[in-house]
Amino acid sequence: MKVSPEFRKQLQGYGLTTAEILYRMPDHPALLQSYIWQDYDLFPEFPTLRKFLDFWARTLDGPLFKVTVGHNRLIKPADLKAIGAEFRIH
């Protein structure tokens, strides 16, 4: 049985990273367009995303406006701990 490259990356510490990239339309700079990027990357440096954004800035005409990053270490459920007491809020 062969192991997938994505699973190997997870074993090396990579986590699924999603970035929403807002960029200006080349012909209409007042308009913003959205692009969703997703790959396995290392938190918190995000070298794969940075490489992609460098490529974008060098090669593509649409200038970057805003990048919002989601990663499993940035977004996770809250930690709950039992404290042995009860609080009532009306």
Side-chain angles (χ1 to χ4, degrees), residues 47-61:
T48 308
L49 176 59
R50 287 179 185 267
K51 182 178 175 184
F52 176 75
L53 294 175
D54 289 343
F55 164 79
W56 183 302
R58 276 191 332 273
T59 309
L60 303 179
D61 291 334

Side-chain angles (χ1 to χ4, degrees), residues 34-81:
S34 177
Y35 178 81
I36 301 297
W37 174 92
Q38 193 172 53
D39 202 348
Y40 285 91
D41 211 347
L42 289 170
F43 176 85
E45 291 84 16
F46 302 111
T48 308
L49 176 59
R50 287 179 185 267
K51 182 178 175 184
F52 176 75
L53 294 175
D54 289 343
F55 164 79
W56 183 302
R58 276 191 332 273
T59 309
L60 303 179
D61 291 334
L64 296 171
F65 177 76
K66 178 181 172 184
V67 178
T68 305
V69 179
H71 187 271
N72 66 346
R73 290 197 184 165
L74 294 171
I75 303 169
K76 57 184 172 183
D79 293 329
L80 298 176
K81 295 180 183 178

